Amino acid sequence: MKADPSGVLTGTHNISGNYACAEGALAAGCRFLGVYPIAPALEVSERFLQRAKKVGATFIQMEDEISTLAAVIGASWTGKKSMTVTSGPGLSLMMEHIGLGIMLETPCVIVDVQRVGPGLGLPSQPSQGDMMQARWGSHGDYELIALAPSSSQEMFDFTIKAFNFSERFRIPVAVMSDEYVAHLQEEVVIPRAKDITLEPRRYFDGPIGSYLPFKRDEDLIPRMVDIGQGYKFHVTGLTHDDRGYPIMNEECQEYNVHPLVKKIRDYTDEIIEVQEVNIEDADIIIISYGVSSKAALKAMEQARGLGLKVGSLKLVTVWPFPEKRVAELAGKVNAFVVPEMNFGQVVLEVERCSYGKSNVFFIPHGGKGVEDTEDILKAINQAVQDDRIIDRIVELR
Amino acid sequence: MKLWRKPFDLDKIKIPCGEIHIIEERCKGCGFCVEYCPKDVFEMSEEFNAKGYHPPKITNPDDCVECHLCEMLCPEFAIYVTLKKDENPAGVKSEEGK
Amino acid sequence: MEIPKTMQQEETQGSRSGMDITHPMENVLRMDRIPHIWCPGCGIGLAVTAFAAALEKAEIDLNKVAIVSGIGCTGRVAGYVKLDSFHTTHGRAIAFATGIKVANPDMKVVVFSGDGDLIAIGGNHFIHAARRNIDMLVICVNNFIYAMTGGQVAPTTPLAAYATTCPFGCVEPPFNIPYLAESSGAVYVARWTTLHVRRLMNSFVEALNKKGFSVVEAISPCAQYYSRINRLGDGLDMMRFYHDNTEIRHGEDTKNLDIAYQGKIIMGKFVDRERPSYTDRYNEWLSEIKDDENEPG
C-alpha cells in the first residue's frame, strides 16, 4: 500500500494503538517528533521513523524528556507541527516545559501512554494515574486540553483532534492513552486526506515590524509567525506584555495569565465532548474515560439485561472537565459509578460537580490488568440498594 | 602626535578624528571608557545623570582618533563614535607631522 | 482587555533617553528595551556589544538567525537582541535551540547564556549537543557565580572563592569549560575575557561562520556579587585584573585551562576542527534509505 504524500495512509488496517497514534500524527501534518525512549510508548516513534522520509518529517531522540519537550516547543516555532510521546515518568520530567508551552502559547501535542506508578512502577501495565498530573502538574495557573482514547481507532482520531485543538487554541494538548490501548491490535479505518479536517495555524500576515506575538484577536488567541520570516520577535517565559517583553508587576501578571486560562474556559462548550449512551431514562450513570469505558459499556449492557436503568457517560475530553453536563445530570440520577484505573482522580471532579445531589461510587484499581466489568456491576448493585444520599465518595472494593 | 620615525607616506595618511556621542542617561558610571581610552579623551564627570551615576565627560575631544574602543567597551550601549567632518583634507600635513 | 497603566509607562521608559539616537547597533539591538537590567561594571553588556558587532561583521542574513537564552543575568540577552529571540527555561536553551535547528536547518542558531545555566542545570544538554555536533554557536558568559539569585556557588566558582552558599570558601573543583566542550565534541572552542572585546568579537565572527557546535567562553566581571563577596573591588578593578593576569595562548591544550582563584587566565582559540554536523549525518542517513524500504504494508 502506498502512502499519500500528505502522510495519510488511507485504508483499513489492523494496527496497535501506538501505530495508530503515529498514523494520526502524520495525517494531522505532524512533521517533527521528539522522543526519549520509554516503555510502553516506543512503537509510536518506531512507526513514525518508518514513514518519516516519505512525508518529509524530522525525528530526534533527545537526552531526556526535559530536553525533548523543549526541542518540540522550539520546533513548533519553526512552523512544523510537533509532537512527543512518553509515559508517566517522562511526563513528570516534562512538567517544566508544559508550563513553558502554556506561557509561550506554543501548539504541540504530548502523548502520554500511561503505566502504573508511582516512581518507576510497572512499565508493562496500564493505568490512568497521570490524569491529575497532566492537569495540575506544572506550577502556576493554567488550563490545558486532555483527550482520553479507548481504542486504536480513537488513538488515530484523537491524535488528529489534539493537533487541531493545539493549533486552534495555541496550547499544548495531551493525549492520555495507556499501555492497554497502546498495544491493543484493532481495526483502524483511515479516511482519505480530503475527508480529514485540519485546523490551520493562524498566522500573522501584517507588515514586518508590526508583529506583536501576544496581541490577542477578539477570540483571545494571539497569532503566530515562524522563525526566519524576518519578524524578529521576542517571546519569554516570564510574565510579559503583548510585545513579548518581560514586565515585572502584578498588573501585567493579571493581564498576561488571566487570558491563558480564559481562552480555554470561554470555549469549553466548543472543546468538551462526551459520548452518552442510555442517559435519558438512567437512574445510575457510569462515568468513564479511556480504556475503562470499554468495561463500562459492557457493564451497562449487562445491567440493562438485568433490568437496571444504567447509562454511560464517556469523557472524550477529560480536561477541561464537563462540569456543566455532570452537574445537570446530578439532580436527575441517583448515583454515578466511576471506574478508574487509579485510586481516585477524576472521581474527585465528579463528586465536585454532583454537589451532593447524587451518590458517587468509586471503584479503585491498583494495576491488575484493565478495569473489570464484574467490579462495575458490583458497584451498580450497591448503588441500587443505597438510594439515600451519602454526600461523599463511596469507595468500593 | 609624537612619531618615533617618520613614515614615508605620512603626507598621504590622515589621522581620522572622531566625534564622540554619549547618551548620558544610559550610563551607569562603570568607568571602562575613561580607563581604557588609548588617547585619554574622557574624564569622570562631577555631574550626576538622571539615575544618579557619574557619566564620563569629554575633556580632549580633538585627541579622538575614531578607534571605537569606547563604543565597544561600553556595557550600556551609551557611547558611539562617528567620523568627524573633514576639516583637514587629505594630503595636508598636521602640525606635529612637520 | 485594556492595557494596564503601569505597563504603558514601562513602554516609554526605554525611549526616554531619546534625542535622536543613531547608535550604530540600533538595527541589531532592541533599543526600546535599553537601559538593560545589568549592574554597573557588569561585563555581559560587553559580550552583547561584541556579539552585535560580530553579527554585522559576519555578513549573515539577520532574518535567518535565532537566539535562545536560558535563565539568569545572561539569560536576559535574548530580550535585548533584535533577532527571532527566545527566553526559555533554566538550562534548556540548548535543547530548545536543538529543536529549532533540527526542524529548520536553514536557521543559524545562537545560544547565549551563563555558566550556571549552561554548565550546571544545562550540563547534560551541553555535552549532548556537542556530541551530536548540532550546528550552533554557544556563547557562555562565565562570571564564576550565580548572580541573579544573589551570589551562590556555581560549577565554575574557583576553589576557595567565597559565595553566599559557601561562606568558608568553595570546596568543589570547578569545570574547565573549554576542556569540557572539546572532549564532548565541539568543533570550535575559544575563551576571552570581556575586556578583550575585539578578540571576542572576532571569535564570534569565526564561530558564526563555522559549521558545527562552537563554544566561546566570555569571562565577565560580576561587580555586584562575585567581586563584593570576595572583596575584589568594582567592575573596573576586575577589568584591571584581567588586563594584568591574562595570557593569550592559541592552540593551548584545553587540559591546561583551569582557572584558579585570582590565578592567571589563559585565553585564545584552542580548538578549530572539522566534524560532520548532526544535519549532515541525518541527511546522509535519509539519502541512504530507499523509498520503499520502510513502507508499512
Side-chain angles (χ1 to χ4, degrees):
Chain A
M1 186 171 304
K2 287 279 174 210
D4 189 288
S6 65
V8 185
L9 197 71
T10 307
T12 307
H13 311 268
N14 193 20
I15 50 176
S16 72
N18 272 347
Y19 275 22
C21 174
E23 290 302 337
L26 290 167
C30 171
R31 292 297 176 265
F32 182 89
L33 177 72
V35 295
Y36 183 79
I38 187 166
L42 299 160
E43 296 83 0
V44 180
S45 45
E46 192 183 295
R47 178 72 167 204
F48 193 93
L49 248 182
Q50 281 175 358
R51 308 248 282 110
K53 189 192 176 182
K54 189 79 172 221
V55 299
T58 318
F59 168 93
I60 189 169
Q61 179 181 322
M62 295 295 285
E63 56 271 14
D64 55 29
E65 282 92 349
I66 301 172
S67 50
T68 304
L69 193 51
V72 164
I73 293 172
S76 185
W77 277 96
T78 67
K80 283 199 162 123
K81 289 188 180 176
S82 307
M83 178 175 92
T84 181
V85 284
T86 190
S87 184
L91 190 70
S92 298
L93 289 182
M94 285 180 182
M95 284 305 145
E96 180 182 16
H97 288 105
I98 288 184
L100 185 75
I102 299 269
M103 205 60 166
L104 297 189
E105 304 190 44
T106 310
C108 60
V109 171
I110 301 151
V111 179
D112 177 21
V113 183
Q114 297 171 86
R115 67 192 215 189
V116 184
L120 306 182
L122 248 175
S124 59
Q125 285 295 314
S127 144
Q128 293 174 330
D130 305 348
M131 301 310 296
M132 280 295 180
Q133 190 192 14
R135 174 65 187 84
W136 301 105
S138 195
H139 55 274
D141 285 303
Y142 66 93
E143 283 281 345
L144 127 170
I145 301 173
L147 304 158
S150 66
S151 64
S152 289
Q153 182 69 50
E154 285 187 350
M155 275 296 255
F156 177 85
D157 295 341
F158 289 8
T159 307
I160 295 175
K161 200 188 267 282
F163 274 102
N164 286 346
F165 278 142
S166 78
E167 296 294 339
R168 165 76 180 78
F169 295 104
R170 274 187 71 175
I171 196 172
V173 177
V175 178
M176 306 300 286
S177 170
D178 61 74
E179 187 275 336
Y180 188 81
V181 174
H183 292 150
L184 188 65
Q185 294 256 343
E186 279 183 331
E187 193 179 88
V188 176
V189 180
I190 299 180
R192 283 171 301 177
K194 66 179 169 65
D195 296 330
I196 298 174
T197 327
L198 295 182
E199 181 85 30
R201 185 167 289 192
R202 291 198 301 172
Y203 281 110
F204 175 81
D205 52 6
I208 284 180
S210 63
Y211 176 59
L212 298 170
F214 297 106
K215 174 107 179 76
R216 292 173 197 285
D217 279 4
E218 292 274 292
D219 61 357
L220 294 178
I221 317 295
R223 286 173 182 264
M224 281 188 92
V225 295
D226 290 345
I227 293 174
Q229 287 180 330
Y231 284 101
K232 294 180 184 163
F233 57 93
H234 179 60
V235 291
T236 172
L238 289 170
T239 298
H240 48 254
D241 61 4
D242 288 350
R243 298 166 300 175
Y245 293 174
I247 307 282
M248 300 289 102
N249 62 35
E250 297 94 337
E251 271 164 307
C252 189
Q253 173 69 20
E254 163 71 18
Y255 178 77
N256 179 194
V257 177
H258 199 172
L260 294 181
V261 178
K262 208 166 162 355
K263 74 175 181 182
I264 300 300
R265 290 194 183 162
D266 280 6
Y267 294 94
T268 45
D269 291 341
E270 188 183 320
I271 299 165
I272 288 172
E273 190 182 330
V274 291
Q275 289 169 3
E276 300 179 354
V277 187
N278 293 335
I279 290 285
E280 302 75 28
D281 63 337
D283 292 329
I284 294 161
I285 290 177
I286 313 172
I287 299 184
S288 63
Y289 57 90
V291 71
S292 309
S293 59
K294 278 185 189 273
L297 283 171
K298 202 172 159 199
M300 182 198 72
E301 274 165 27
Q302 290 180 8
R304 284 263 163 190
L306 298 170
L308 299 172
K309 285 183 179 170
V310 178
S312 163
L313 183 79
K314 184 193 168 205
L315 313 180
V316 172
T317 49
V318 180
W319 308 120
F321 188 76
E323 301 174 349
K324 260 193 230 164
R325 186 62 183 142
V326 175
E328 225 170 68
L329 293 170
K332 296 180 189 157
V333 300
N334 292 340
F336 293 116
V337 172
V338 186
E340 262 190 289
M341 284 151 66
N342 55 42
F343 288 97
Q345 297 195 11
V346 173
V347 67
L348 300 174
E349 286 290 291
V350 177
E351 194 206 12
R352 176 175 71 84
C353 298
S354 64
Y355 298 111
K357 288 184 195 158
S358 50
N359 286 337
V360 180
F361 291 87
F362 173 60
I363 310 153
H365 187 99
K368 75 173 168 33
V370 288
E371 198 70 57
D372 197 348
T373 314
E374 287 299 311
D375 288 344
I376 302 176
L377 276 173
K378 269 187 228 162
I380 292 169
N381 276 327
Q382 182 85 34
V384 172
Q385 287 157 22
D386 250 327
D387 55 355
R388 69 207 151 84
I389 298 294
I390 308 167
D391 193 16
R392 66 180 168 82
I393 299 172
V394 182
E395 211 169 283
L396 296 169
R397 188 70 249 170
Chain B
M1 178 184 273
K2 190 186 269 180
L3 295 168
W4 293 103
R5 184 174 59 80
K6 189 183 165 196
F8 293 127
D9 55 357
L10 183 68
D11 46 351
K12 288 179 202 137
I13 295 291
K14 182 181 58 110
I15 297 164
C17 189
E19 191 177 348
I20 303 159
H21 308 263
I22 301 175
I23 306 165
E24 276 189 15
E25 269 126 284
R26 284 188 190 169
C27 179
K28 291 178 189 162
C30 67
F32 293 173
C33 51
V34 178
E35 175 86 7
Y36 291 106
C37 173
K39 304 299 285 181
D40 289 328
V41 170
F42 303 98
E43 203 176 87
M44 285 314 258
S45 170
E46 296 293 306
E47 308 279 308
F48 291 99
N49 68 4
K51 281 192 274 193
Y53 296 110
H54 295 290
K57 68 175 181 213
I58 304 163
T59 46
N60 308 310
D62 298 335
D63 285 359
C64 176
V65 293
E66 209 221 349
C67 75
H68 292 273
L69 189 65
C70 51
E71 186 181 310
M72 292 292 282
L73 268 180
C74 177
E76 308 295 327
F77 318 110
I79 305 182
Y80 62 98
V81 184
T82 50
L83 187 63
K84 208 178 227 173
K85 281 249 171 83
D86 229 348
E87 289 162 5
N88 204 8
V92 179
K93 285 177 194 174
S94 58
E95 280 298 308
E96 297 95 329
K98 257 175 196 170
Chain C
M1 210 176 282
E2 257 179 56
I3 296 177
K5 242 185 194 161
T6 42
M7 287 167 58
Q8 289 168 345
Q9 282 164 6
E10 190 101 12
E11 208 161 327
T12 51
Q13 204 181 42
S15 53
R16 194 182 40 184
S17 51
M19 309 169 317
D20 52 333
I21 304 166
T22 45
H23 196 284
M25 283 157 195
E26 194 93 333
N27 56 341
V28 272
L29 297 177
R30 296 181 197 276
M31 286 303 184
D32 55 340
R33 294 209 59 209
I34 309 291
H36 53 61
I37 64 160
W38 300 310
C39 314
C42 173
I44 299 171
L46 299 179
V48 177
T49 308
F51 178 65
L55 279 177
E56 300 217 318
K57 205 176 165 192
E59 291 179 350
I60 45 179
D61 181 1
L62 295 185
N63 290 339
K64 294 288 172 198
V65 187
I67 180 167
V68 187
S69 287
I71 297 294
C73 292
T74 320
R76 294 300 190 98
V77 168
Y80 298 116
V81 183
K82 205 191 279 180
L83 298 170
D84 288 341
S85 53
F86 295 86
H87 182 211
T88 65
T89 39
H90 197 15
R92 320 300 174 204
I94 289 181
F96 195 98
T98 300
I100 295 175
K101 184 68 195 179
V102 172
N104 184 355
D106 296 338
M107 292 301 293
K108 199 160 266 300
V109 184
V110 181
V111 171
F112 207 131
S113 215
D115 51 319
D117 187 77
L118 289 171
I119 309 299
I121 185 166
N124 197 22
H125 313 308
F126 182 86
I127 58 173
H128 283 282
R131 173 182 64 82
R132 292 187 186 108
N133 201 17
I134 305 271
D135 183 13
M136 64 169 75
L137 162 62
V138 175
I139 299 167
C140 177
V141 175
N142 180 0
N143 54 11
F144 305 114
I145 209 152
Y146 283 93
M148 188 165 267
T149 45
Q152 289 79 14
V153 67
T156 45
T157 309
L159 267 177
Y162 293 110
T164 49
T165 46
C166 52
F168 308 109
C170 177
V171 292
E172 306 166 12
F175 259 132
N176 168 348
I177 296 174
Y179 187 33
L180 179 71
E182 187 191 6
S183 42
S184 306
V187 293
Y188 183 97
V189 182
R191 171 199 277 168
W192 301 102
T193 78
T194 49
L195 175 66
H196 304 84
V197 62
R198 285 195 206 270
R199 293 179 186 274
L200 186 64
M201 177 193 75
N202 289 333
S203 263
F204 288 162
V205 173
E206 275 183 39
L208 278 170
N209 289 318
K210 178 94 190 168
K211 200 165 187 189
F213 191 80
S214 315
V215 179
V216 180
E217 180 185 4
I219 291 172
S220 156
C222 172
Q224 282 300 317
Y225 291 103
Y226 186 68
S227 81
R228 199 162 62 182
I229 297 168
N230 288 291
R231 306 199 182 283
L232 301 175
D234 59 13
L236 193 51
D237 292 320
M238 293 189 81
M239 283 301 208
R240 288 187 187 122
F241 175 82
Y242 295 152
H243 184 267
D244 299 339
N245 295 281
T246 46
E247 189 183 325
I248 300 174
R249 278 195 228 155
H250 290 301
E252 177 73 23
D253 191 334
T254 51
K255 271 182 202 148
N256 308 331
L257 298 176
D258 281 321
I259 300 175
Y261 178 58
Q262 292 300 87
K264 178 164 268 183
I265 297 169
I266 297 163
M267 316 179 297
K269 180 170 84 176
F270 309 118
V271 179
D272 193 349
R273 59 183 171 184
E274 301 297 327
R275 274 177 74 216
S277 75
Y278 177 87
T279 317
D280 292 343
R281 286 190 197 274
Y282 189 87
N283 289 337
E284 198 182 314
W285 170 77
L286 272 187
S287 66
E288 276 169 13
I289 304 175
K290 289 196 193 78
D291 264 358
D292 293 332
E293 200 168 282
N294 272 326
E295 194 68 20

